[in-house]
Amino acid sequence: MKKDKRFKSVIGTVSNFFIFFLLAAFVTTCCIMLFISTLQESVGREFTQSEITLAAKITMVNVVLISACMAAIDYFRRKTTVERPVKKITDATSKMIEGDFSVRIEPIAKIGSDDSFNEIIECINKMAEELSGVETLRTDFVANVSHEMKTPLAVMQNYGQLLQAPDLPEEKRLEYARAITASSRRLADMMTNILKLNRLENQQIYPNLTVFDLGEQLCENLLSYESVWEKKNICIETELAEGVLVSADAELLSLVWSNLFSNAFKFTEEGGKVSLTLTADEAYATVKISDTGCGMTADIGAHIFEKFYQGDTSHATEGNGLGLALVKRVVDIMQGEIGVESAVGVGTTFTVKIRRNANEPEENG
């Protein structure tokens, strides 16, 4: 491969020399002929054959020297301004092909070189940065999925072995069967959420816009957790504006409220309180869901919308860290906003702003 490159380089240099030679010979010959003709007319004297032959030999030597100098200058110019940048770019892309996305190309000095190479280098560096991020996400995703699947599978395996005991009491058999069912449900929920999140992130789910009463939808979602708040003796407070109609995807928004209510009740201890507030103006409907749970630090709050992130590991068996990632993606698709305020030991408040008419373009400023 290297021999072929060197051979092609030699051929290119020789061909460039002959091109410069022919060009210099043509230009020089024309200039000499014009010079001799003008000189003969000026002095009124004819040059002899020997004088013309000597001038032609000197001109030939000059043409060869000029051609060699031009070829050498062009060779070093190509080496410094073309071949070196191309080699840097090809070496970097070869490493990317091998899976090394940490490689970056240093910009080339603009003196004597085409700035187009720097534009190419900038694009390649951006591509490498994006690919590095994607690779990190893919690796983290595989690791997180493997970890999340490992726990319920281990539970199912252990209880499955215990169920094989011939003298197992009926009470224990039912307990183990319930544990296996709960673990299998957790696995199924995780797979469902992964598929939903994948479809949302790849824009395979498009909003089906309908006009509906947002307050009624929030009440229906809240009432679906009635058994949970009664069991934990949680106080419910609601303050809902009436007649708040929105044009949005009811099914996607229901996913948002279900996940936020689920988190509120999950992290609120017995005797706590969960509050729901709905306000609206002409452009936006604002929903606030608050709880008096354990709360979280600012560091945890900065990561809660990331896939598989679980700040409170004491409740890890009740979720898989995908709920809030789904919520964030749905809110983004609905052109809305979501924020969180929390304090350790005080509680957490999620605020969701939904555009009342998703068909209208968002105003600037």
Side-chain angles (χ1 to χ4, degrees), residues 251-296:
E251 184 178 352
L252 289 180
L253 280 185
S254 180
L255 183 65
V256 172
W257 314 136
S258 294
N259 277 284
L260 294 182
F261 283 135
S262 175
N263 279 346
F265 291 119
K266 178 170 68 176
F267 292 106
T268 301
E269 301 297 334
E270 290 192 19
K273 182 175 68 176
V274 171
S275 304
L276 169 64
T277 304
L278 170 62
T279 58
D281 55 29
E282 292 184 0
Y284 287 91
T286 303
V287 178
K288 290 187 177 182
I289 298 176
S290 305
D291 64 65
T292 57
C294 57
M296 55 188 165

Side-chain angles (χ1 to χ4, degrees), residues 15 49 64 104 108 131 148 165 183 186 198 202 242 251 257 274 288 293 309 311 319 359:
S15 63
Q49 183 65 37
V64 172
R104 299 292 184 272
I108 299 167
L131 288 173
E148 292 295 331
S183 296
R186 182 184 174 192
N198 180 65
N202 289 283
E242 296 183 359
E251 184 178 352
W257 314 136
V274 171
K288 290 187 177 182
Y309 184 81
N359 283 320

Side-chain angles (χ1 to χ4, degrees), residues 107-120:
I108 299 167
K110 296 183 180 180
I111 301 176
S113 64
D114 189 353
D115 197 44
S116 299
F117 282 115
N118 282 335
E119 294 179 7
I120 296 172

Side-chain angles (χ1 to χ4, degrees), residues 38-245:
T38 303
L39 186 63
Q40 287 183 145
E41 293 178 358
S42 299
V43 300
R45 174 179 177 275
E46 293 287 336
F47 292 102
T48 63
Q49 183 65 37
S50 60
E51 290 174 330
I52 295 175
T53 302
L54 178 61
K57 289 179 180 179
I58 295 174
T59 301
M60 183 65 180
V61 173
N62 287 331
V63 168
V64 172
L65 291 176
I66 291 172
S67 301
C69 290
M70 293 175 66
I73 292 171
D74 182 67
Y75 173 79
F76 288 110
R77 181 194 64 81
R78 285 188 296 105
K79 275 288 186 183
T80 55
T81 63
V82 178
E83 292 185 12
R84 286 182 183 175
V86 169
K87 187 176 186 304
K88 290 176 69 174
I89 292 172
T90 53
D91 289 345
T93 51
S94 296
K95 291 180 180 179
M96 292 181 199
I97 292 172
E98 295 172 358
D100 181 9
F101 301 121
S102 64
V103 63
R104 299 292 184 272
I105 309 174
E106 291 294 327
I108 299 167
K110 296 183 180 180
I111 301 176
S113 64
D114 189 353
D115 197 44
S116 299
F117 282 115
N118 282 335
E119 294 179 7
I120 296 172
I121 288 171
E122 184 179 357
C123 291
I124 291 176
N125 286 339
K126 287 182 179 178
M127 179 182 68
E129 186 176 353
E130 291 295 325
L131 288 173
S132 178
V134 170
E135 179 64 18
T136 301
L137 286 175
R138 186 191 67 83
T139 304
D140 290 346
F141 182 80
V142 171
N144 285 324
V145 169
S146 301
H147 175 74
E148 292 295 331
M149 292 180 65
K150 185 176 181 180
T151 301
L153 285 174
V155 171
M156 294 166 65
Q157 183 179 10
N158 291 336
Y159 282 116
Q161 290 177 347
L162 291 174
L163 281 173
Q164 298 176 24
D167 55 347
L168 187 68
E170 182 67 14
E171 181 182 348
K172 288 292 183 180
R173 186 182 65 81
L174 292 175
E175 178 186 344
Y176 298 160
R178 282 193 294 267
I180 293 174
T181 302
S183 296
S184 62
R185 185 179 295 113
R186 182 184 174 192
L187 271 179
D189 289 343
M190 182 176 67
M191 292 299 107
T192 300
N193 285 337
I194 288 174
L195 291 174
K196 284 181 181 178
L197 189 57
N198 180 65
R199 293 177 65 191
L200 287 169
E201 289 183 337
N202 289 283
Q203 288 294 318
Q204 295 177 358
I205 293 179
Y206 299 94
N208 179 24
L209 303 181
T210 57
V211 178
F212 60 93
D213 191 310
L214 183 57
E216 291 183 1
Q217 185 190 53
L218 287 167
C219 288
E220 290 175 1
N221 273 270
L222 181 59
L223 288 172
S224 66
Y225 291 90
E226 185 174 5
S227 59
V228 179
W229 84 56
E230 287 183 348
K231 181 180 179 181
K232 298 178 71 174
N233 194 27
I234 295 175
C235 176
I236 303 297
E237 287 187 359
T238 60
E239 185 178 346
L240 306 177
E242 296 183 359
V244 179
L245 300 179

